[in-house]
Amino acid sequence: MKTIGYAAGSATSPLAPFDFERRALRPNDVAMEVLYSGVCHSDLHQARNDWGWSQYPLVPGHEIVGRVIAVGSDVKKHAVGDAVAVGCMVDSCQDCDQCRKGLEQLCRKGNVQTYSDTDRFSCEPTSPTYGGYSKHLVAREEFVLRVPEGLDLSKAAPLLCAGITTYSPLRTWGVGPGSRVGVIGLGGLGHMAVKLAAALGADVTAISRTKDKEADALALGADRLLVSSDPEAMAQAASGMDLIIDTVPVKHDINPYLPLLDIDGTLVIVGQIGPLTEPSTVPLLLGRRRIAGSPIGGIAQTQEMLDFCAKTGVLPDVEMIRMDQINAAFARLEKADVRYRFVIDMASLAAPAA
């Protein structure tokens, strides 16, 4: 299938139109026209090779909402015309203990990422994966999700990363009514963590360095804003949280936040991939507190999250852009100048040449 997308040719080049071919449908494949693609901070990191494993040409995009246009002969779950979605992974071994438990994100052999990865579980010759900044996508049925009725397609795309990345630890640590949850950072991930924790019935504290985000935090569903640069406020909040979701996507100091946890509390890192300022073990030992990490969720949990959002009306706050505005959007993303997630209207991308 001939298609078109936007790709980075190197770590220093801007994204530009890129013609390429999607694979022919295998029996268990679903082909879709991409309608909307979310812009994740990971897309910027990958385009710039900040993590050191980017493969070029690189077509970003792992927050994908589309419409089925064709299915393979063995596909049972999806039909032409269905509204569907694809997130951060498009394959896994399907056979290890983690895959059998529905934890494909923790596949022992490594899941296949939606872009900047290799289609290594195929019986065909291996090939690179290209993401959702494109007109079409092909993925195996097991990794294509159903978009529930009532979920706004134009806003749903960021749920496939920002949504599940924050929903998964909330569910893993059993958040519900009576839980006390803190959220560090109010960007794309953080605003979803606040919305989802509130929808699950938790008491939610948004944590920010400045007070100017208080109105936004309350509007998102937080019960209060805690200013982390205020020593008195931080001291008063000590031991007041069961779970803290840390969404900051760059190296930072987590030490000020550890005393906020109650005994047996957990700080879960979902934003930064890489080094942190060295943590002190004192609050960990004295309060039996924990530092943990969490990636995305598995396919079943991602479907659960989509259904939950449709039921509760939880959606990200988005700014719609055209495909040709992506480089300007990346520049704004570096400055945290977005409230709270860019979504690309893929109708703005020209159809591929015949």
Side-chain angles (χ1 to χ4, degrees), residues 203-247:
D203 179 90
V204 183
T205 301
I207 305 170
S208 179
R209 288 173 295 179
T210 59
K211 193 176 177 62
D212 58 3
K213 292 187 178 180
E214 183 172 34
D216 286 351
L218 298 178
L220 291 168
D223 294 281
R224 68 195 62 80
L225 178 79
L226 174 59
V227 180
S228 60
S229 59
D230 182 341
E232 183 177 343
M234 291 289 280
Q236 290 176 352
S239 301
M241 301 174 198
D242 305 304
L243 181 71
I244 296 175
I245 307 293
D246 182 348
T247 71

Side-chain angles (χ1 to χ4, degrees), residues 1 50 74 111 118 158 187 247 347:
M1 177 192 297
D50 289 340
D74 293 344
N111 64 69
T118 301
T247 71

Side-chain angles (χ1 to χ4, degrees), residues 22 32-39 43 59-67 83-90 113-115 130-139 143-147 153 155-162 302 306 343-344 346:
R22 293 290 186 186
M32 70 189 73
E33 179 185 3
V34 179
L35 303 178
Y36 300 99
S37 187
V39 179
D43 298 340
V59 178
H62 57 206
E63 300 177 337
I64 304 161
V65 170
R67 188 80 63 182
V84 293
V86 170
C88 301
M89 55 184 171
V90 290
Q113 297 287 287
T114 303
Y115 69 89
Y130 296 124
Y133 293 11
S134 58
K135 199 70 174 175
H136 304 98
L137 188 80
V138 175
F143 289 79
V144 177
L145 296 135
R146 173 184 52 83
V147 178
L153 298 183
K155 295 182 178 180
L159 296 176
L160 279 303
C161 179
T302 306
L306 290 174
V343 172
I344 307 166
M346 300 308 296

